[in-house]
Amino acid sequence: ASFAVLFNDMDRNYIRTFFSMQTGKEMNQESFKNGATDQVKLQIFAVTRHYWVGLEDEMKQFVANNWEKWEREDPDWFDDVIKATI
């Protein structure tokens, strides 16, 4: 019932944001490929390796191209957990 009220009361322009035919794998791969920041792109390491299929070389290249910069700049998100995950 509350779900129906939500849809009834919401701006119709936003209903499309609740539905997608995109799979979790596709969403995560798109996030890696089109992520606005390095932090967003690195989120792919937090999901199952099955989502990485087809991106492995691109992911390796991305990390190789940026690791020294991350070490030098030391952003908050580049912590021991993400380093171990990578």
Side-chain angles (χ1 to χ4, degrees):
S2 61
F3 199 62
V5 171
L6 172 71
F7 279 112
N8 188 48
D9 291 342
M10 79 171 8
D11 183 333
R12 298 287 181 239
N13 293 322
Y14 296 107
I15 288 180
R16 65 178 172 72
T17 65
F18 282 83
F19 305 98
S20 173
M21 296 300 291
Q22 189 176 44
T23 66
K25 179 179 179 177
E26 292 167 342
M27 182 189 72
N28 280 280
Q29 288 193 355
E30 182 180 322
S31 181
F32 173 77
K33 291 178 181 179
N34 301 318
T37 66
D38 290 351
Q39 181 180 11
V40 169
K41 290 177 178 254
L42 286 174
Q43 289 175 358
I44 192 135
F45 287 98
V47 298
T48 178
R49 290 178 182 257
H50 298 287
Y51 287 7
W52 304 2
V53 174
L55 285 181
E56 297 95 333
D57 291 339
E58 193 174 343
M59 291 168 66
K60 288 177 186 176
Q61 190 64 47
F62 172 70
V63 170
N65 289 344
N66 290 287
W67 190 273
E68 287 182 21
K69 177 183 81 168
W70 300 328
E71 287 281 346
R72 186 177 58 253
E73 295 176 1
D74 195 29
D76 292 338
W77 52 263
F78 192 59
D79 57 17
D80 290 340
V81 174
I82 193 69
K83 290 176 187 177
T85 303
I86 294 171

